[in-house]
């Protein structure tokens, strides 16, 4: 086979890495990537259903391909990921978009190459959704697109069943990869020249269930001991499993970035209980205290949901107070989005849209003010950034420091993939500007 493919990715970094796996399979079949969707012989939508906006966006983009399909009968359109994995959603997609050729879920992503071959042999649509919890994937060959950064899945699924979250229903229960395979993958990535590795899992802190002697602190330590200059990150951590043992490992290895993503979701104990988060605000703050004890300069980022069913003004104020107390370096903030099949979707006292919008705007302004203050503290200082790319609009190279702050700078040579020191001369919100020294 030969031709061009185009992949449209929605959602989190886990989906980005899933798209790299899909791209790897398409490469094995002889296809090459194109950024022009009208040139593609295969178009893949790797969907997300965590929030309603992402789902609606996918629907809109799939709908726009009807004319393209009519003009090119040989075009293959595939829709996969979390959206089709929801109960009954594959049938909805098939009926709503009869010109879609392949529909597959998260549990049979690794069989995508065979689904293409099956479609080539048949005039009918291929709709295959595997139930259960899915397999543990080893030995895949992703086509990585994020150099010098690399994403590495260490586990799949989630056992937490937060009342607002659809993930356990579309990603299955927790399954961990074998530690020796993860370490071998990391070693190969470093040998191939990658400079930053991010370990991925819905809850990396619970890695190792069902594997004798395996734990996340142990895995992190093994990877941090690999020779070579590189950075090591991980996401996402669940506060209930965030341990002092893990903090000690982070503090012990310079390769592990002193930047932790620890989603709090709410500062109200009443809302946290309704969310089934299984910690209180005091317990969360204790984790922050432990983190700062061992790593005083560690920065923390988070996820926060406003407008959860039953959230009062008092609950929202508790969230605002917690944000001030922690002093997050940045935060992903969301208005609660009901997901069919979750417990929260059936809860009473859904918060009016206008109230949620007012709260999210106030929260965003608070987070941005904290970010601006921290960015201003960089001015006049020197920091090490890993150059990740080039911004055509700014006519500058860009890269992040270990705390995740983006820095822009000019350079006569191409420093992409290299660690460079820049002296910060200006800070603008979340961005830094400086000169190489």
């Amino acid at each position: 086979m030969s031709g061009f493919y185009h992949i449209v990715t929605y959602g989190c970094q886990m989906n980005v890495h899933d798209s790299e796996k899909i791209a790897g399979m398409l490469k094995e079949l002889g296809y090459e990537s194109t950024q022009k969707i009208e040139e593609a012989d295969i178009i893949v939508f790797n969907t997300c259903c965590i929030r309603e906006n992402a789902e609606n966006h996918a629907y809109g983009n799939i709908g726009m391909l009807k004319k393209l399909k009519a003009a090119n009968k040989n075009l293959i359109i595939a829709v996969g990921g979390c959206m089709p994995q929801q109960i009954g959603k594959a049938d909805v997609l098939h009926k709503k978009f009869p010109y879609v050729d392949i529909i597959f879920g998260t549990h049979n992503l690794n069989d995508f190459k065979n689904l293409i071959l099956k479609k080539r042999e048949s005039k009918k649509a291929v709709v295959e959704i595997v139930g259960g919890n899915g397999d543990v994937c080893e030995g895949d060959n992703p086509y990585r697109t994020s150099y010098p950064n690399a994403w590495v899945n260490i586990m799949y699924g989630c056992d937490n069943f937060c009342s607002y979250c659809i993930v356990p229903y579309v990603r299955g229960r927790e399954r961990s990869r074998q530690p020796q395979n993860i370490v071998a993958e990391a070693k190969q990535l470093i040998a191939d020249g990658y400079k930053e590795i991010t370990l991925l899992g819905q809850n990396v802190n619970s890695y190792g269930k069902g594997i004798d002697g395996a734990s996340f602190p142990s895995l992190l330590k093994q990877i941090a001991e690999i020779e070579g200059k590189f950075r090591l990150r991980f996401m996402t951590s669940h506060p209930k499993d965030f341990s002092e043992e893990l903090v000690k490992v982070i503090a012990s290895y310079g390769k592990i970035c002193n930047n932790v993503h620890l989603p709090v979701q709410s500062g109200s104990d009443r809302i946290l209980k309704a969310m089934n988060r299984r910690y209180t605000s005091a317990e969360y703050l204790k984790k922050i205290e432990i983190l700062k004890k061992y790593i005083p300069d560690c920065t923390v980022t988070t996820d926060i949901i406003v407008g959860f069913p039953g959230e009062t003004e008092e609950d929202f104020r508790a969230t605002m107070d917690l944000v001030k107390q922690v002093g997050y370096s940045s935060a992903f903030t969301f208005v609660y989005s009901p997901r069919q099949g979750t417990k929260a979707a059936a809860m009473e006292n859904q918060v009016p849209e206008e109230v949620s919008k007012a709260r999210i705007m106030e929260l965003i302004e608070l987070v941005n003010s904290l970010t601006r203050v921290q960015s201003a503290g960089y001015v006049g200082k020197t920091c090490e950034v890993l150059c990740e790319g080039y911004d055509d609009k700014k006519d500058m190279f860009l890269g992040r420091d270990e705390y995740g702050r983006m820095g822009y700078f000019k350079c006569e040579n191409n420093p992409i993939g290299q660690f460079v020191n820049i002296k910060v001369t200006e800070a603008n919100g979340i961005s830094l500007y400086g000169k190489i020294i």
Side-chain angles (χ1 to χ4, degrees):
M1 295 182 186
S2 62
F4 295 98
Y5 71 84
H6 182 86
I7 301 175
V8 182
T9 305
Y10 302 87
C12 63
Q13 296 301 341
M14 194 165 291
N15 267 25
V16 172
H17 187 44
D18 284 348
S19 289
E20 291 182 335
K21 295 177 183 179
I22 292 170
M25 290 180 246
L26 290 169
K27 287 279 187 180
E28 290 174 1
L29 290 172
Y31 291 92
E32 294 296 328
S33 175
T34 178
Q35 295 302 311
K36 297 180 180 179
I37 198 166
E38 64 274 7
E39 290 183 353
D41 300 283
I42 294 180
I43 300 171
V44 184
F45 290 91
N46 186 13
T47 65
C48 174
C49 64
I50 299 299
R51 290 172 188 87
E52 187 176 13
N53 284 346
E55 197 166 306
N56 291 339
H57 194 195
Y59 276 138
N61 286 340
I62 296 167
M64 290 172 63
L65 293 187
K66 185 176 182 178
K67 290 183 179 179
L68 201 60
K69 179 70 173 182
N72 180 8
K73 300 295 184 182
N74 294 322
L75 172 66
I76 293 178
I77 301 173
V79 178
C82 295
M83 218 165 83
Q85 192 68 45
Q86 297 176 87
I87 296 175
K89 192 56 67 88
D91 290 336
V92 172
L93 286 164
H94 186 45
K95 291 176 182 177
K96 190 176 181 69
F97 309 106
Y99 49 88
V100 170
D101 301 283
I102 301 172
I103 298 175
F104 63 104
T106 57
H107 296 345
N108 57 332
L109 177 149
N110 297 306
D111 196 41
F112 181 62
K113 184 164 64 173
N114 290 329
L115 298 182
I116 295 174
L117 297 174
K118 187 174 180 178
K119 173 57 190 174
R120 288 292 189 190
E121 297 172 358
S122 172
K123 294 182 179 180
K124 297 180 179 180
V126 177
V127 181
E128 293 194 12
I129 306 295
V130 176
N133 292 316
D135 297 325
V136 175
C137 179
E138 300 283 10
D140 55 12
N141 186 30
Y143 175 63
R144 299 185 183 275
T145 57
S146 302
Y147 178 85
N149 305 310
W151 317 102
V152 176
N153 278 115
I154 65 171
M155 59 187 297
Y156 303 88
C158 184
D159 287 350
N160 290 312
F161 289 92
C162 298
S163 63
Y164 54 83
C165 187
I166 196 70
V167 166
Y169 305 98
V170 295
R171 290 277 183 180
R173 305 300 292 269
E174 290 180 4
R175 298 96 66 200
S176 294
R177 292 179 60 196
Q178 292 293 326
Q180 65 270 23
N181 294 337
I182 299 169
V183 173
E185 182 177 349
K187 285 182 177 178
Q188 187 59 55
L189 286 168
I190 294 162
D192 290 341
Y194 286 87
K195 299 298 194 302
E196 183 170 298
I197 295 173
T198 302
L199 307 180
L200 298 176
Q202 298 297 337
N203 177 15
V204 292
N205 299 336
S206 60
Y207 167 81
K209 285 183 180 178
I211 303 177
D212 289 341
S215 70
F216 186 56
S218 173
L219 176 68
L220 204 60
K221 181 178 179 181
Q222 290 179 67
I223 298 175
E225 289 177 346
I226 297 173
E227 292 185 3
K229 182 174 175 58
F230 65 94
R231 287 179 182 163
L232 184 56
R233 300 184 189 272
F234 56 87
M235 62 188 310
T236 294
S237 283
H238 195 297
K240 72 179 179 61
D241 301 314
F242 191 76
S243 67
E244 187 169 0
E245 178 189 6
L246 173 58
V247 174
K248 288 180 178 180
V249 171
I250 298 171
S252 298
Y253 293 90
K255 293 175 182 176
I256 306 175
C257 293
N258 290 339
N259 171 244
V260 173
H261 188 68
L262 197 62
V264 67
Q265 306 300 3
S266 175
S268 163
D269 289 344
R270 193 178 69 83
I271 295 299
L272 287 172
K273 184 176 181 180
M275 288 178 167
N276 192 35
R277 291 293 286 174
R278 288 180 278 178
Y279 55 82
T280 64
S281 58
E283 289 168 342
Y284 179 90
L285 290 170
K286 182 64 177 177
K287 307 281 185 176
I288 299 296
E289 182 183 325
I290 292 170
L291 189 58
K292 295 293 186 178
K293 172 185 174 182
Y294 290 97
I295 317 171
D297 65 340
C298 188
T299 59
V300 184
T301 58
T302 197
D303 296 341
I304 301 172
I305 296 172
V306 302
F308 187 82
E311 183 188 66
T312 65
E313 185 65 19
E314 184 181 0
D315 295 322
F316 175 65
R317 291 300 148 200
T319 297
M320 295 288 282
D321 289 342
L322 185 140
V323 170
K324 294 173 186 175
Q325 189 168 349
V326 176
Y328 294 109
S329 63
S330 66
F332 297 100
T333 57
F334 309 96
V335 171
Y336 167 72
S337 177
R339 297 286 75 200
Q340 185 178 357
T342 63
K343 289 185 177 180
M347 290 180 179
E348 297 180 354
N349 299 321
Q350 298 285 328
V351 177
E353 183 179 356
E354 61 273 17
V355 174
S356 294
K357 284 185 176 180
R359 288 175 181 170
I360 195 74
M361 294 306 295
E362 186 178 350
L363 175 61
I364 289 171
E365 177 52 38
L366 172 60
V367 171
N368 286 347
S369 68
L370 294 171
T371 301
R372 286 192 293 268
V373 169
Q374 293 184 35
S375 293
Y378 276 86
V379 176
K381 297 179 180 179
T382 299
C383 64
E384 182 183 69
V385 302
L386 171 60
C387 185
E388 300 177 358
Y390 185 78
D391 189 313
D392 291 322
K393 292 183 179 179
K394 296 182 186 295
D395 189 27
M396 302 177 85
F397 288 98
L398 58 93
R400 290 177 300 158
D401 72 350
E402 73 165 304
Y403 305 104
R405 194 70 81 216
M406 187 67 74
Y408 294 87
F409 58 95
K410 288 185 177 292
C411 184
E412 294 182 0
N413 302 315
N414 183 353
I416 295 175
Q418 299 177 24
F419 290 97
V420 297
N421 290 317
I422 65 169
K423 185 172 183 178
V424 179
T425 56
E426 181 186 350
N428 181 11
I430 62 173
S431 302
L432 310 174
Y433 296 85
K435 298 179 179 179
I436 290 183
I437 61 170

